[in-house]
Amino acid sequence: MCELLGMSANVPTDICFSFAGFLHRGGGTGPHRDGWGIAFYEEGGYREFRDPHPSVDSPIARLIRDYPIKSHIVISHIRQANVGQVRLANTHPFTREMWGRPWCYAHNGQLEGWQELPLGVCRPIGSTDSEHAFCYLMGELRHHFPEPPEDPQALWALLHRCCERLRSKGVFNLLLSDGVRLYSYCSTKLAHITRRAPFGEANLSDAELNVNFAEHTTEHDVVSVLATEPLTDNEDWVRMVPGELLVWHDGEILARFLPEAD
Amino acid sequence: MCELLGMSANVPTDICFSFAGFLHRGGGTGPHRDGWGIAFYEEGGYREFRDPHPSVDSPIARLIRDYPIKSHIVISHIRQANVGQVRLANTHPFTREMWGRPWCYAHNGQLEGWQELPLGVCRPIGSTDSEHAFCYLMGELRHHFPEPPEDPQALWALLHRCCERLRSKGVFNLLLSDGVRLYSYCSTKLAHITRRAPFGEANLSDAELNVNFAEHTTEHDVVSVLATEPLTDNEDWVRMVPGELLVWHDGEILARFLPEAD
C-alpha cells in the first residue's frame, strides 16, 4: 500500500513537521521505497516535486523538509509499486489542467478492470491504474461540465458517484484538489485532524520530533492534515468511513457525502 | 527579456555546468529576477522545478546546480516579467499533457494582440501572453491531429506555421518538447552548440567555471545546448535566424524549417 498526506489550511502554512514524519515511511519505518511526490498550491500558483527514489534518501525530499513552502493546500504521496514499474512517469501526484486550474491527484490502493474505464481528453502518460483512474475522473467531470459549474454541489455529487464506481473496482483512497478545495475520499484508510486555537504539542509517531504549534500559529489559524495512518501519537485523529467524500476549504469541512444506504 | 536554456542529448546528461552559468543571469549578471524554472525529461518520465524567486538566491536552484539529474532533454527559463505579475502561475516552463505525452514549453519575448489567439481544450492558469500562446499552439496541434500523426513532418510544418503566426505578433523565441524531440524556434535571439568527440574545454561567460568535457563523456556522446545568448566564451555557437525552426533528436538536428521567401 502507498501512503497519502494532505493539508488544507486557512493561512499559508508549511508542512515541514508532518512531512518529516511522512518522509520516514518512505523506506525508513515503512516499506514504500518506490518514489514519492508532493504538490503545493501557493498564493501565486502550483508546483510539485517528484522523485522516483526512496524519500528517506532523496536530496529533494530533504530540501522540502527543510525549506518551508507556505501553502493553503498540499497533496503528497509515497509509493509502493504494484501496478506499473518504478519510474518517474508512475510517481504521484499526477496533474492535469482543467477549466484553467491545475488539478492534482494522488491515489492509494489497487483497482481491477481499470483498463475499461472510459477516457476523455486526458490520457495517461505512465502505466498505472492510478493515473488511468485520474484521467477517467477528469473526463467525467469535463463531460458533464464543459465549463466550471456555477453550483459546486452538483460537481461534488458527481465526483462522489465516480469515486463510488472506482471503489467498486478495488481500493480507492483519494486526495484531489483544484487549488481552491481539497477532496478526500475513503475506500479503506484515511484519517484527519483539524488543529485550531488553543494549539498544543504534537509528537510524531515515525520520528523523534515534537512541535509546539502554539509557537508557530496565530489564534485564527485552522490547519487540517489528512494521512493514511495518523502521523502523531498524542492527538485524536478521525478515521473516515468507507465511501465517505469530504470537501475541504480553508481547513474546514465544507461538505460531506456518504454512500447511499443499501 | 527573459532567457532560455535547452538541451538535447543522445545519452542521459546532466546540465549542471550550463545551469551554473545560466543561474547567474537570474539576478546575478542579468536583470531576470522574476522567477525561474527547469524541466527534465528523464528515462522514466518528466519533472519540473519552478520558483518565483530570483534563481541566484533560490535554494531549489542551488539543489539543481549541485544534484546531477541526467536527462535527454532539458528546458529552462529565467523570467523578467513584462505581461503578468510575478507569481508562480506565471513562471515558465508551462506543461500540458497531449496524446499521453507531457509537453513542456518556455517562451522569450512579448506578443501584441495575443488575447485573440483562439484556444482549444487547453486554458491558461496564469495571466501571461506566453501561456496563452502555448495553449493556442497545443489547440492547433490537437485540432489538426486528434491523435499523434504517423508522419511527423506534417506536424512540424504545422508547428512552424503557428510559430510564424506568433512571430507576426511580436517576439517569439521558443523551446518546446514532447519528451521525444526538442523544438527550437527563433524570432530574434537563440544560439546553439553541439558538442561531440573530440571534446574540449569550455569556460562559462557568466561565472568563473571551467569544465573539461573529455573527463565527463564517452566518444559516442552528442550533446547540444541552446541558449538566448552563448553561455561560453571559447566555443563557436551558431546563432539561429529569424523564422527558423529546428527539430532536435538525440543531440542532432533532425529537420530545419525556414520562412517562405517573400
Side-chain angles (χ1 to χ4, degrees), chain B residues 13-260:
Chain B
T13 304
D14 77 68
I15 197 159
C16 293
F17 174 74
S18 297
F19 189 68
F22 189 58
L23 207 59
H24 274 261
R25 295 186 182 172
T29 56
H32 314 95
R33 300 193 60 88
D34 302 331
W36 66 279
I38 188 165
F40 298 90
Y41 289 96
E42 298 167 66
E43 200 72 39
Y46 170 86
R47 63 178 147 174
E48 58 179 31
F49 299 84
R50 292 187 297 126
D51 206 345
H53 308 298
S55 58
V56 78
D57 305 326
S58 163
I60 303 172
R62 282 197 298 275
L63 175 90
I64 301 302
R65 189 192 60 197
D66 299 333
Y67 176 52
I69 293 181
K70 302 223 172 219
S71 59
H72 281 91
I73 297 174
V74 172
I75 290 181
S76 184
H77 182 273
I78 300 178
R79 183 162 185 243
Q80 185 186 13
N82 37 50
V83 176
Q85 56 180 145
V86 178
R87 55 200 292 267
L88 194 55
N90 291 339
T91 305
H92 305 225
F94 300 105
T95 313
R96 293 292 185 282
E97 171 265 310
M98 183 169 68
W99 306 330
R101 294 187 199 154
W103 288 75
C104 170
Y105 159 105
H107 164 227
N108 154 320
Q110 206 170 342
L111 303 172
E112 297 284 329
W114 50 274
Q115 295 89 342
E116 280 86 60
L117 290 165
L119 298 179
V121 164
C122 282
R123 302 287 169 84
I125 294 169
S127 54
T128 59
D129 52 349
S130 301
E131 192 188 11
H132 191 106
F134 177 38
C135 293
Y136 157 75
L137 275 181
M138 289 293 96
E140 291 296 302
L141 299 188
R142 196 195 288 271
H143 175 72
H144 286 84
F145 301 104
E147 300 294 330
E150 301 234 334
D151 171 17
Q153 286 281 348
L155 177 73
W156 305 340
L158 172 63
L159 178 63
H160 187 242
R161 285 198 302 279
C162 294
C163 288
E164 287 285 87
R165 178 168 176 192
L166 288 165
R167 182 163 71 108
S168 74
K169 292 186 174 293
V171 175
F172 187 74
N173 298 300
L174 164 84
L175 292 176
L176 175 75
S177 181
D178 65 351
V180 179
R181 291 166 192 122
L182 174 70
Y183 303 95
S184 63
Y185 175 78
C186 175
S187 168
T188 54
K189 267 203 252 188
L190 206 49
H192 58 88
I193 189 164
T194 299
R195 298 181 181 124
R196 63 177 92 230
F199 287 94
E201 292 201 10
N203 302 308
L204 281 185
S205 311
D206 299 82
E208 284 184 32
L209 196 61
N210 172 289
V211 69
N212 184 352
F213 288 113
E215 294 170 6
H216 302 274
T217 48
T218 74
E219 60 181 300
H220 305 295
D221 294 8
V222 180
V223 180
S224 292
V225 175
L226 296 103
T228 300
E229 289 287 346
L231 286 165
T232 59
D233 54 21
N234 68 326
E235 298 176 295
D236 289 327
W237 290 66
V238 179
R239 287 184 189 271
M240 292 177 67
V241 300
E244 180 181 3
L245 173 75
L246 294 175
V247 182
W248 299 84
H249 184 68
D250 283 353
E252 308 278 5
I253 294 172
L254 203 63
R256 184 177 185 222
F257 292 78
L258 289 169
E260 287 183 21

Side-chain angles (χ1 to χ4, degrees), chain A residues 10 28 41 62 67 89 104 125 144 159 173 176 178 193 197 225 261:
Chain A
N10 68 342
Y41 289 95
R62 282 198 298 275
Y67 176 51
C104 170
I125 295 170
H144 286 84
L159 179 61
N173 298 299
L176 175 74
D178 65 350
I193 189 164
V225 174

